[in-house]
Amino acid sequence: MNAETLAPGRLAALLEGTAAGMLADTAAADLIIAHGRFLDDPAFRRIIAAGSSVADGQPFAVIRWNAAVHALESGHLPCSGSERAVLLIAASLAEPGLAVSLRACLGSLDRRNIALVTDAIPAAH
């Protein structure tokens, strides 16, 4: 299974299913899915690991958050300021060691993205 070839809806379902039960991971995946831009981007899809579980054969998909941030910072994942902020906030929710400046991120968000982020933050805890 390859994240680059999955339909966006199927990919979203796998991301949600894989994150289920882990509040921060679910909140981060849901933020990316709700944003609506990333799952259609081939560059972002290359950052998602997808396959079948060795233990039970069930399909899974996970966003490799550190790889996403690295791709963003190295110019391999072009984004607008708002998209960048959403991705960084989602990554910081999912990866405990990944800190972002909310002050730097929040200033570039429009009303819709502020609502998405403010829904995701309490859902992560």
Side-chain angles (χ1 to χ4, degrees), residues 27-39 44 63 65 86-87 90:
D30 286 347
L31 176 55
I32 291 299
I33 293 163
H35 185 267
R37 181 253 196 230
F38 294 101
L39 296 188
F44 186 77
I63 298 167
W65 294 107
V86 167
L87 180 55

Side-chain angles (χ1 to χ4, degrees), residues 54-86:
V54 176
D56 61 11
Q58 292 297 311
F60 74 89
V62 294
I63 298 167
R64 296 180 306 121
W65 294 107
N66 288 318
V69 171
H70 177 73
L72 186 64
E73 291 175 349
S74 64
H76 291 74
L77 186 58
C79 290
S80 70
S82 181
E83 292 164 347
R84 176 183 175 82
V86 167

